[in-house]
Amino acid sequence: MKTMSTFAEAGADLEFVDISKRFPGFTAIENLNLTIPAGSFFALLGPSGCGKTTTLRLVAGLEEPSAGRILIGGNDVTNTKSFQRPVNTVFQSYALFPHMTILENVAFGLRRRKIDDPLGKAHEALRLVELDHLAARRPAQLSGGQQQRVALARAIVNRPALLLLDEPLGALDLKLRRQMQLELKSIQTEIGLTFLHVTHDQEEAMTMADIVAVMNKGEIEQMGAPEQLYELPRTAFVANFLGQSNLFTGQVTDSGADSITVDVAGRGIVVPRTRAQRHAGEVTIGVRPEKLLLHTEAPTTGAGINILGPGRVTDVSFSGVSTSYIVQIPGLGAVTVFAQNMVFGPVVNEGAEVWVSWTVDHGFGLEDEPTTGSRFPADASTSAIAIQRRAALETELEGA
Amino acid sequence: MAFAAFASSDAAVTKPPRRKSTIALVLLLPGILYMVLFFLTPLISLVITSFQAELPGGDIGDYVPGLQWQNYVESASEYLPHILRAFGYALVATVFALIISYPIAYFIGVKARRWPLLQSMMLTLVIAPFFISFLLRTLAWKQILSDESPVVQALKAVAILPADGHLTGTPFAVIFGLTYNFIPFMTLPLYTTLERLDTRFLEAGSDLYANPATTFLKITVPLSMPGIISGTLLTFIPAAGDYINASRDFLGSSKTAMLGNAIEANFLTLQNYPVAAALSIILMAVILVLVGVYVRRSGTEDLL
């Protein structure tokens, strides 16, 4: 391959075509279609077990897809081995070779590809992560943060068309993580590679990535720029995984040209038509807690304002920048409100009677059915059936 | 110094706070007493014997204490072929045992991880020969390799072995016997290091453009070095001193006699105790030097 003998000039785009990955007994990824544009910082965000690490391993060539094709820079790499792919990974465990010095670890990939002056280039990469003075040490002599930077240097020194990051910041403390996030982002901008970053940390994904894809149960729920995802989540999963949301369910009572009205506990809540995915029947609508305003007296109803209440404040928690209030509204349940601390202390105390309001433009309507079942139907492969039968038998035996 | 290869090097990484404790000394006492009584005393006795001189006009086996250092020169020159054979055969057998054991240990320790039952079954099979006496197993091989056996008949029929050829009594049979008998000693230490081999390092190697062969040579082998070192030592040291396989009663003949056979003959048959003792000391010294150089050169201190 020509990408093997030279450094990649620029990042390459990555394409998944109908990728599925099944393990005995469960499906990790189902029919994934995804294109990651060249030169972008792409974050795959999801809870553990959602298939994001499997996706990464499929790209690296450490797993084979059950079906579908993977293209890197237009070349089909589905059937190539991991050592033949123009891809490098920063592993979650770093996987630095314990029997080699830091310098030799970084030069490993260069030596395998017979690139000129591997040690010089390795020193250069170590300078980029500010660890050149530790080149002669062994991985065990470095702290977690330093090891993480070595793992990063070991990957980027190869100038891969695509750099894969498997929750590389997970083991670091908060301060170091912030610092590494900024460094990673600046390195990516500097060398212009395509980064595919897998994480379960929504804040990390939003601060670093150009494009975030939220993954759940082997499928991509929503993809887009971080602001877009945050301001207009399309599903309940995205609304709650990416930040917090107050969600309400009700019947659409009026469907106008540019807004719909939903009956929520007897009050008509208006959502702009363009911000709602469904326009009839029973729908779920939501609003972010920081968009809500607290009122101690019933606010005057007006166009462009949604009001809920009265309710009772059941919890007030102060967190420095803001205060979070939980308001119990009869017939609706708990509503969370984040208020910036513009004055000293909380505005209202526990037990106070309050109303909440928000501007109509801030609401959003979700696309999923108010009651969603499990996404995957029972896997019917023989091994899955065998495993299920064994599990059933085991529970039966335990009961006896 | 050779024992450094067996020791867990974790201790070097995290040094526990050192404390003087009388309990530790009391617990060590039985061990120290045992070693003094059953290791140090015979060793000193052996050194003294090796310098003994013949009693003028005495019977066979009568010696007087002396400083007959010529015993060493004479026995070393007389038994040089035996010394060379001992270390040569042991080396070849160690290499073969390593080549045979590594794939077995790799399969049990790495590939069979997903099936613990298979893993323990295969380990049992590796240890199974120990349930039968070492002597009986070697005798069984003598039967299998004897001139009338189907193996030799078949080899003669396909002209691999000439019509008047033998297997028993040849260096081949002795090395075969040594390799066979010491394979478990090689496989088990290799298994224990390979069992702990983190396969994520292999994935990282593959991710960094190393093909499977390079990954094996640059990552798997260095990481399994502690197992290779202890396995080769556990095979080489006893094999170099072995006198069963090379004995004419088992797989060898007078032409394949090793240092162990020479020591046995001098002690038991010829009753030439000083020569036997000198040969024993030579064997010990050579092993100590070889092992020391080997452990130094292999650089196990680099490993975790």
Side-chain angles (χ1 to χ4, degrees):
Chain A
M1 270 175 87
K2 66 173 192 291
T3 41
M4 289 296 295
S5 54
T6 54
F7 282 140
E9 291 293 311
D13 47 353
L14 168 72
E15 209 177 324
F16 283 96
V17 183
D18 297 324
I19 285 288
S20 294
K21 176 67 184 173
R22 290 176 207 96
F23 292 105
F26 80 102
T27 308
I29 297 166
E30 183 72 60
N31 251 331
L32 182 69
N33 280 290
L34 175 66
T35 304
I36 296 174
S40 64
F41 197 129
F42 191 97
L44 206 51
L45 176 68
S48 54
C50 73
K52 59 188 193 303
T53 296
T54 306
T55 309
L56 197 87
R57 291 174 63 84
L58 285 170
V59 183
L62 301 171
E63 301 278 358
E64 274 177 48
S66 310
R69 291 185 301 129
I70 297 166
L71 287 85
I72 296 171
N75 299 318
D76 192 332
V77 296
T78 319
N79 296 316
T80 57
K81 301 277 179 219
S82 71
F83 63 93
Q84 296 162 325
R85 296 190 186 187
V87 166
N88 286 109
T89 311
V90 180
F91 291 92
Q92 189 171 14
S93 63
Y94 313 145
L96 299 177
F97 305 128
H99 58 292
M100 294 181 196
T101 61
I102 297 304
L103 188 67
E104 279 303 324
N105 260 287
V106 177
F108 189 88
L110 299 173
R111 285 196 195 281
R112 300 289 83 74
R113 290 161 71 200
K114 310 245 186 312
I115 282 175
D116 289 338
D117 188 24
L119 292 181
K121 290 191 170 73
H123 275 298
E124 206 175 295
L126 281 172
R127 272 195 289 275
L128 187 67
V129 295
E130 293 169 15
L131 282 177
D132 200 29
H133 57 292
L134 301 178
R137 298 241 186 123
R138 290 192 186 270
Q141 296 168 296
L142 265 58
S143 73
Q146 289 169 334
Q147 288 188 30
Q148 196 275 329
R149 277 143 73 187
V150 174
L152 181 65
R154 186 175 72 169
I156 58 174
V157 74
N158 300 298
R159 289 284 187 277
L162 186 61
L163 184 73
L164 308 175
L165 301 140
D166 186 6
E167 304 209 22
L169 309 180
L172 307 183
D173 60 61
L174 189 67
K175 195 168 165 242
L176 200 56
R177 196 153 75 215
R178 285 282 146 71
Q179 192 188 331
M180 285 309 301
Q181 283 174 3
L182 293 174
E183 279 183 38
L184 263 181
K185 183 71 194 163
S186 68
I187 286 168
Q188 193 262 339
T189 328
E190 205 172 304
I191 58 187
L193 304 179
T194 313
F195 276 36
L196 172 55
H197 184 176
V198 154
T199 180
H200 66 264
D201 183 336
Q202 45 110 355
E203 211 182 310
E204 191 172 297
M206 285 201 282
T207 49
M208 294 166 80
D210 307 325
I211 309 170
V212 176
V214 181
M215 202 167 183
N216 183 29
K217 293 177 187 167
E219 278 189 8
I220 288 183
E221 293 254 346
Q222 194 176 353
M223 194 171 108
E227 313 81 53
Q228 187 194 338
L229 245 62
Y230 186 81
E231 296 301 344
L232 192 53
R234 267 215 313 262
T235 65
F237 180 80
V238 177
N240 280 319
F241 196 77
L242 215 64
Q244 269 179 283
S245 295
N246 292 305
L247 300 180
F248 316 107
T249 306
Q251 285 287 338
V252 175
T253 52
D254 182 33
S255 187
D258 38 57
S259 67
I260 58 165
T261 308
V262 181
D263 171 66
V264 175
R267 279 188 184 262
I269 299 296
V270 183
V271 178
R273 201 180 174 88
T274 50
R275 288 177 62 84
Q277 307 300 325
R278 283 144 52 86
H279 302 128
E282 200 178 9
V283 297
T284 302
I285 56 165
V287 64
R288 294 289 186 186
E290 75 277 7
K291 303 286 194 301
L292 295 179
L293 288 176
L294 273 184
H295 305 273
T296 46
E297 287 160 19
T300 48
T301 47
I305 303 279
N306 286 320
I307 300 164
L308 283 178
R312 216 159 271 288
V313 176
T314 56
D315 187 67
V316 178
S317 55
F318 178 76
S319 68
V321 184
S322 63
T323 305
S324 136
Y325 303 89
I326 309 261
V327 181
Q328 288 289 343
I329 296 175
L332 262 184
V335 172
T336 309
V337 180
F338 292 158
Q340 238 193 321
N341 288 326
M342 306 292 275
V343 292
F344 290 115
V347 184
V348 291
N349 292 315
E350 264 177 62
E353 192 184 50
V354 292
W355 287 260
V356 293
S357 76
W358 70 93
T359 315
V360 165
D361 290 340
H362 287 151
F364 50 81
L366 303 178
E367 74 175 7
D368 33 13
E369 301 275 337
T371 49
T372 37
S374 79
R375 169 161 276 133
F376 293 125
D379 202 324
S381 76
T382 40
S383 59
I385 290 169
I387 286 168
Q388 281 163 6
R389 282 211 184 132
R390 202 177 67 188
L393 200 69
E394 270 166 7
T395 47
E396 202 180 300
L397 286 171
E398 265 168 22
Chain B
M1 91 190 112
F3 296 98
F6 301 101
S8 154
S9 44
D10 294 2
V13 181
T14 51
K15 275 187 185 147
R18 207 171 275 185
R19 263 194 319 146
K20 280 190 179 171
S21 161
T22 45
I23 296 172
L25 279 176
V26 169
L27 288 173
L28 271 174
L29 209 59
I32 292 170
L33 278 178
Y34 187 91
M35 291 303 272
V36 167
L37 210 60
F38 297 108
F39 178 73
L40 213 54
T41 322
L43 188 68
I44 292 165
S45 148
L46 199 67
V47 172
I48 293 169
T49 311
S50 74
F51 285 107
Q52 278 178 346
E54 230 170 295
L55 179 69
D59 262 343
I60 292 174
D62 280 352
Y63 296 93
V64 287
L67 258 176
Q68 193 85 358
W69 56 268
Q70 292 92 330
N71 287 344
Y72 281 89
V73 183
E74 278 163 23
S75 50
S77 55
E78 192 185 339
Y79 290 104
L80 187 64
H82 295 77
I83 297 173
L84 293 179
R85 273 197 290 263
F87 291 107
Y89 290 175
L91 185 71
V92 176
T94 306
V95 170
F96 278 127
L98 180 63
I99 292 170
I100 295 167
S101 297
Y102 204 99
I104 300 174
Y106 191 87
F107 184 84
I108 305 175
V110 180
K111 294 283 167 193
R113 273 182 205 174
R114 274 179 289 167
W115 308 287
L117 191 68
L118 179 71
Q119 213 175 12
S120 41
M121 261 172 58
M122 291 193 64
L123 270 181
T124 314
L125 284 179
V126 170
I127 306 165
F130 287 134
F131 296 138
I132 305 165
S133 153
F134 175 64
L135 294 181
L136 282 179
R137 279 182 284 128
T138 315
L139 268 179
W141 276 111
K142 188 188 180 180
Q143 292 264 318
I144 296 168
L145 301 176
S146 69
D147 291 350
E148 300 78 30
S149 72
V151 174
V152 173
Q153 300 291 339
L155 287 176
K156 281 180 180 169
V158 295
I160 287 174
L161 211 61
D164 58 345
H166 308 279
L167 280 182
T168 49
T170 60
F172 168 81
V174 176
I175 292 171
F176 179 90
L178 287 172
T179 308
Y180 161 77
N181 277 313
F182 289 106
I183 274 180
F185 294 99
M186 183 68 89
T187 310
L188 292 179
L190 280 176
Y191 161 76
T192 50
T193 45
L194 285 171
E195 204 263 331
R196 282 175 306 171
L197 178 76
D198 192 338
T199 49
R200 288 179 297 187
F201 292 134
L202 310 186
E203 288 186 345
S206 182
D207 186 70
L208 291 164
Y209 315 103
N211 59 35
T214 317
T215 305
F216 177 75
L217 288 177
K218 297 278 176 189
I219 298 163
T220 313
V221 170
L223 288 178
S224 57
M225 217 51 190
I228 296 175
I229 302 279
S230 43
T232 47
L233 290 181
L234 282 176
T235 306
F236 182 80
I237 297 173
D242 184 78
Y243 66 95
I244 301 292
N245 289 286
S247 147
R248 71 181 70 200
D249 299 329
F250 291 88
L251 300 171
S253 67
S254 56
K255 278 182 252 159
T256 63
M258 290 162 69
L259 191 48
N261 303 93
I263 295 170
E264 186 210 12
N266 273 293
F267 259 124
L268 301 179
T269 320
L270 304 174
Q271 297 189 1
N272 193 349
Y273 305 124
V275 166
L279 285 174
S280 303
I281 303 279
I282 290 171
L283 175 67
M284 245 187 289
V286 175
I287 286 176
L288 215 59
V289 170
L290 286 181
V291 166
V293 170
Y294 176 59
V295 171
R296 272 281 167 82
R297 290 288 302 272
S298 60
T300 34
E301 68 273 5
D302 287 358
L303 292 158
L304 272 181

